[in-house]
Amino acid sequence: MSIDLNFNEQQQLIQNTAREFFQKHCPIDVVRRAEKADEEYPADLWRGMADLGWLGITFPEAYGGLGCSFLDLYALYGELGRSLAPVPHLECVALAGTLVAELGSETQKAEWLPRIAAGEAILTPALMEPDGLYGPDGVTLSARRDGDNFLLNGVKLLVAYAKSADRLVCAARIGTGDGAAGVSLFLVDPKAPGVSLEKTTNMASAPLYAVIFKDVAVPTSDALGEVGGAWPVLDATVMKAAVLQSAMVVGAGEVVLDMTADYARTRVQFGQPIGRHQAVQYLVTDIAIEQNLTRNLALRAAWRIESGRSFLREAALAKACASKAAAAMTFAAHEVHAGIGFMLDYDLQLYTLRAKHWESNLGDRRHCLERAMAEGGDDPLPHFQHA
Amino acid sequence: MVDFCPDDTPQLKAWRGEVRAFLEAELPGGMTFDYDYDEDEAGWDAYLAFWRKVGAKKWIGLTWPEEFGGLGRSAIERWILQEEFAEYAAPSHPIIGMAVAAGLLRHGTHAQRLRHLPGIASGAVQWGEGYSEPGSGSDLASLTTRAHLDGDHWVLNGQKTLGTAAHRAQWMSVLARTDPEAPGHSAISCFLVPLDAPGIQMLPLHNMADGQQNQTFFDNVRLPADSLLGDVNKAWNQIWFGLGGEALDPPGPSPDPYRYRIVRMLRKVMSYCRETRHRGRPLMEDPVVRLQLAELLEGVEAIRTQYYESYSNAVTGITVGPRPIALNLHQAYYKEFWPRFAQTCMEIVGPMAQIQGGRWACLNGELEHYFRGSVSNHAGGTSQLKRMVLATRGLGLPR
């Protein structure tokens, strides 16, 4: 079969199962309660996902995973976006866990992957720093060899679920310079001496932290992958996760579109439904258009990953589009909803405030557009997409 | 199964190679002629000669049955052919002939197909459109051209306008009202009209981009009974509009060279930015220009993926949401993106982009011409119309 934008049977099964699972176990009041709860994510929801195998969905079966493909994972992410499930899947499975699976030693993989898959351990990435740069030049936290240890010094921001985490997967720099060479990854216990956490809540009540490293001693055996040579795999993993984040925008966009079209059909002003006004129709169709563009670009990037093709350019385009769509779709939805949409009791705000985090997470629009151009080199617009 | 690769077998790869070899032999370097925006004789001669060569290979009607001048090949082979033509900067095939062919293949009689399809397939016969009228543009169903039966002949009276390149055509597909009492689209029929019939007069309209469109007047034009395509009063749903344009490219949507001009123009502007130095560095390295180019790249790439979605929807029959969503959504996006794209290209190239030709023109004046052409994004229905259809038929908002 050539040219087909539909999921295969397995992906449809994952999609349908996930939709039913989240409808049952993560209705919108679970999302609301999680904003106020002490625990950083609902433990029973996380356990339920573990029982379905989703916490090790792409890990090798030898490490307690399901050995599923990237598109299988992608199918799950549309549903994570639709449901706004307040769980650390992107951080723990798609990023930190995948980095362990890709770069880890036998010992590291055996230690962490089965426990992540079982819902017994949380790993989370610590990547961003105060400069807010997404490239290798954004990694300045210093790692210095000291006997059998590395000493880490620096600051990481926007580290999600840091308090719950058993380990941070921390990007650090060995030596000088600001390029890819020197970027290293370390597994760091957030309770280790010298690590301090400051909660930095965002508008969607996400459990984000500033993590300050002061002479944190990390055994050399906790380096993940080659010291100084982690960037290519870290980058590829982040870009794959950016495609998953785009899938969440696509899924959430479906809900925002349905919510807004329903409101436009039923809200009566001037003696008729507001959706009859073409000014309103333009706003509702804006949502449909942004969602469609993101869906197609994200699916194409996912297919390139799945089929072993180069994907960095396409992933960057997908996330650039998703970042714009996240903002544009919720903007249009608020224009249509007006006063009621501004109220906390109405569900639209839950999407809007998370969209703001997703917009910049793993690459904002400006960064991703530049990345797409740079990855294209002398030919940013290659002739055929299937090469 | 998600797949964006059209040629995943050795046979299909070989087919792509065959198409490319033909284009490299017949059209080295592409062809800049666009029939909508060009009106010089030499251009028209070369254009029609090229399409007769394509017709001689039976590639115009590639997927049609052999008895009508086709080769009976598959939809995916048509896709690959179209993609090669588009990437190679081949000029677009006259779209009306393909729309008429689609109508004939679905609703024509056997005799009508035998009569008309071989001429379209060979490239010998050109078709014009008789749809828009001075009082009926977006609201096409309000058209007032009428036809009535007189014995065994239809008699056609009325006026059509904006007929692109109709003066180069031998035949015209004309929509006319066949029941004066019935309102809207419920009484519209489609007629196949030879343009040399007595009672037809054509006057030129010159568009902003150097092309010629036409007004066509029908004064008691007598047409034999078999001029009617499909059922009487049913043209709206049978021929084109009820299908939202899907029927334009039987058997399914594929990349079309017409829209692919946007891809080619972006490549040209990017080349210009690599070759042109401002303040000691290539324009391509100016961060503002790079961001502008990247946003154009995103839109162009999004449009390219929409071809895949259209094809997947048509061939698998599976769509995201109701069917009118994708077709009208793609059209609305393209129609709004195109003029903005042309505008941004003009901004990137700068003030000299306005020079029309000669040694001081940028991009050989092609961008200047392209910009004027982008004002024609209403063709086939305005973006506002596509948005309204998307909102009402696609998303269920009240009409």
Side-chain angles (χ1 to χ4, degrees):
Chain A
M1 186 66 203
S2 57
I3 304 189
D4 182 356
L5 273 58
N6 302 292
F7 288 147
N8 68 16
E9 278 183 29
Q10 160 128 330
Q11 291 143 14
Q12 286 173 37
L13 182 66
I14 291 170
Q15 183 181 41
N16 294 337
T17 308
R19 189 162 304 184
E20 285 170 25
F21 173 83
F22 289 123
Q23 275 169 0
K24 187 165 175 208
H25 299 285
C26 189
I28 207 73
D29 60 301
V30 169
V31 178
R32 288 181 176 276
R33 277 203 303 274
E35 290 190 345
K36 305 271 190 284
D38 289 336
E39 59 177 9
E40 295 192 325
Y41 58 92
D44 49 349
L45 183 61
W46 192 242
R47 231 177 353 259
M49 291 176 70
D51 291 343
L52 286 160
W54 293 341
L55 304 192
I57 179 167
T58 50
F59 299 168
E61 290 173 47
Y63 300 104
L66 296 181
C68 286
S69 74
F70 187 80
L71 271 169
D72 299 339
L73 180 64
Y74 181 91
L76 177 63
Y77 267 76
E79 302 310 309
L80 284 166
R82 282 187 70 97
S83 63
L84 302 179
V87 291
H89 198 278
L90 187 66
E91 293 81 5
C92 181
V93 180
L95 284 161
T98 300
L99 286 167
V100 172
E102 293 281 330
L103 291 172
S105 64
E106 275 309 310
T107 313
Q108 289 168 328
K109 286 195 273 195
E111 182 175 7
W112 294 111
L113 295 183
R115 292 173 60 199
I116 293 173
E120 291 162 4
I122 297 289
L123 272 63
T124 194
L127 306 176
M128 298 291 287
E129 298 187 13
D131 277 348
L133 301 176
Y134 300 94
D137 52 347
V139 181
T140 68
L141 186 138
S142 125
R144 186 165 53 78
R145 187 76 187 244
D146 181 36
D148 288 340
N149 291 325
F150 284 95
L151 287 181
L152 305 190
N153 280 284
V155 176
K156 291 291 176 182
L157 296 185
L158 305 179
V159 183
Y161 304 98
K163 203 174 100 192
S164 309
D166 297 278
R167 289 290 182 277
L168 309 174
V169 175
C170 179
R173 180 168 293 283
I174 190 120
T176 53
D178 62 1
V183 174
S184 315
L185 290 173
F186 296 96
L187 292 164
V188 184
D189 185 345
K191 295 173 189 69
V195 180
S196 54
L197 307 182
E198 291 173 26
K199 189 142 189 197
T200 54
T201 309
N202 74 356
M203 61 176 84
S205 307
L208 300 175
Y209 292 85
V211 184
I212 295 108
F213 295 75
K214 193 170 177 203
D215 288 329
V216 179
V218 179
T220 52
S221 58
D222 283 345
L224 188 59
E226 185 195 343
V227 173
W231 176 256
V233 172
L234 172 60
D235 180 42
T237 305
V238 165
M239 293 306 282
K240 286 179 187 175
V243 175
L244 299 173
Q245 179 73 84
S246 304
M248 291 175 70
V249 171
V250 173
E254 284 174 7
V255 179
V256 170
L257 176 59
D258 287 348
M259 195 186 280
T260 308
D262 275 347
Y263 188 75
R265 272 191 293 269
T266 51
R267 168 72 172 168
V268 173
Q269 289 288 280
F270 307 107
Q272 58 181 339
I274 58 169
R276 187 167 283 137
H277 300 297
Q278 287 170 4
V280 173
Q281 292 181 356
Y282 256 73
L283 289 162
V284 178
T285 50
D286 273 346
I287 303 173
I289 290 170
E290 295 289 342
Q291 199 266 354
N292 172 270
L293 303 180
T294 308
R295 180 253 183 180
N296 284 350
L297 287 172
L299 190 62
R300 182 180 67 162
W303 166 76
R304 292 194 70 92
I305 294 166
E306 178 91 350
S307 61
R309 290 169 165 84
S310 64
F311 66 90
L312 295 174
R313 171 183 169 280
E314 288 77 12
L317 279 172
K319 183 56 173 52
C321 189
S323 294
K324 172 159 169 275
M329 291 192 297
T330 49
F331 165 80
H334 279 283
E335 288 287 302
V336 173
H337 279 91
I340 191 72
F342 190 48
M343 297 302 119
L344 287 177
D345 281 346
Y346 199 84
D347 290 340
L348 178 57
Q349 54 92 5
L350 297 168
Y351 290 84
T352 309
L353 300 181
R354 279 158 188 78
K356 216 66 206 157
H357 176 59
W358 299 352
E359 194 183 326
S360 60
N361 195 32
L362 306 172
D364 62 13
R365 177 169 174 79
R366 187 175 58 189
H367 168 78
C368 289
L369 284 174
E370 173 52 39
R371 184 80 198 265
M373 287 289 285
E375 287 297 329
D378 277 348
D379 187 13
L381 188 54
H383 277 265
F384 298 102
Q385 307 193 45
H386 48 271
Chain B
M1 190 185 91
V2 177
D3 193 351
F4 283 71
C5 182
D7 42 348
D8 51 0
T9 68
Q11 290 80 3
L12 291 174
K13 283 187 179 33
W15 167 239
R16 184 184 288 281
E18 187 183 341
V19 174
R20 191 173 300 178
F22 169 82
L23 290 167
E24 285 181 1
E26 300 298 341
L27 214 59
M31 183 186 269
T32 55
F33 184 86
D34 283 319
Y35 67 90
D36 324 58
Y37 314 124
D38 279 301
E39 194 38 49
D40 69 282
E41 292 300 326
W44 268 104
D45 288 348
Y47 170 76
L48 292 173
F50 169 75
W51 276 104
R52 281 194 293 272
K53 284 179 188 167
V54 181
K57 299 200 67 91
K58 306 201 174 190
W59 287 358
I60 294 176
L62 186 72
T63 57
W64 309 350
E66 291 181 32
E67 67 173 321
F68 305 134
L71 287 175
R73 304 279 280 270
S74 66
I76 198 67
E77 286 169 289
R78 164 93 178 145
W79 164 281
I80 290 167
L81 176 128
Q82 285 282 95
E83 189 176 44
E84 281 295 325
F85 271 53
E87 288 285 356
Y88 215 87
S92 50
H93 185 267
I95 198 167
I96 303 304
M98 294 307 276
V100 170
L104 283 164
L105 286 164
R106 287 173 197 230
H107 302 291
T109 63
H110 192 74
Q112 283 175 324
R113 294 176 189 164
L114 282 175
R115 167 97 194 265
H116 293 295
L117 288 174
I120 298 172
S122 71
V125 179
Q126 304 306 320
W127 286 75
E129 60 175 303
Y131 305 143
S132 295
E133 298 182 3
S136 301
S138 289
D139 183 14
L140 187 62
S142 71
L143 61 84
T144 59
T145 293
R146 62 203 182 279
H148 66 272
L149 266 177
D150 178 24
D152 58 355
H153 276 66
W154 290 96
V155 180
L156 188 63
N157 279 286
Q159 179 186 352
K160 294 292 177 180
T161 192
L162 297 177
T164 302
H167 61 298
R168 301 277 175 179
Q170 296 81 45
W171 285 78
M172 182 176 279
S173 164
V174 176
L175 293 177
R177 189 164 297 285
T178 34
D179 179 352
E181 305 300 318
H185 58 67
S186 61
I188 293 172
S189 305
C190 181
F191 294 93
L192 308 176
V193 180
L195 288 170
D196 58 0
I200 297 178
Q201 193 192 358
M202 208 176 277
L203 293 175
L205 291 166
H206 302 286
N207 71 33
M208 278 175 65
D210 310 334
Q212 180 172 326
Q213 297 172 233
N214 299 275
Q215 303 195 70
T216 313
F217 300 86
F218 303 94
D219 180 13
N220 285 314
V221 177
R222 293 184 69 81
L223 304 167
D226 68 356
S227 304
L228 176 71
L229 174 57
D231 295 334
V232 70
N233 293 342
K234 300 285 188 215
W236 193 263
N237 289 322
Q238 281 186 349
I239 306 305
W240 185 354
F241 301 95
L243 295 165
E246 197 176 38
L248 278 177
D249 193 7
S254 60
D256 63 287
Y258 181 84
R259 286 195 194 175
Y260 245 70
R261 284 177 301 194
I262 209 163
V263 178
R264 301 202 291 267
M265 183 50 68
L266 182 54
R267 287 206 183 100
K268 285 178 181 173
V269 171
M270 284 182 168
S271 293
Y272 176 86
C273 292
R274 276 193 294 273
E275 292 157 7
T276 306
R277 298 179 76 84
H278 280 188
R279 301 192 181 98
R281 69 176 174 190
L283 204 47
M284 189 62 125
E285 290 173 18
D286 179 312
V288 176
V289 168
R290 279 181 79 78
L291 197 60
Q292 285 180 303
L293 286 170
E295 292 203 315
L296 299 184
L297 177 70
E298 177 198 32
V300 167
E301 288 283 77
I303 287 165
R304 291 216 295 191
T305 60
Q306 287 177 341
Y307 287 116
Y308 290 76
E309 183 188 12
S310 299
Y311 183 90
S312 173
N313 289 351
V315 173
T316 68
I318 304 168
T319 57
V320 178
R323 191 161 195 80
I325 287 188
L327 287 166
N328 288 286
L329 190 156
H330 295 175
Q331 289 170 341
Y333 181 69
Y334 174 76
K335 283 166 180 289
E336 292 172 17
F337 180 74
W338 182 23
R340 289 203 294 259
F341 170 86
Q343 167 64 24
T344 305
C345 288
M346 293 289 282
E347 290 174 11
I348 290 169
V349 172
M352 304 318 156
Q354 69 188 300
I355 298 175
Q356 288 206 304
R359 61 187 288 213
W360 300 107
C362 304
L363 296 151
N364 299 317
E366 280 181 51
L367 175 59
E368 184 279 330
H369 186 207
Y370 182 88
F371 174 79
R372 286 185 281 133
S374 74
V375 182
S376 69
N377 65 334
H378 59 274
T382 62
S383 64
Q384 304 107 76
L385 189 64
K386 303 300 176 190
R387 287 266 198 170
M388 285 159 58
V389 177
L390 172 59
T392 55
R393 286 181 57 198
L395 301 174
L397 298 188
R399 301 173 75 131

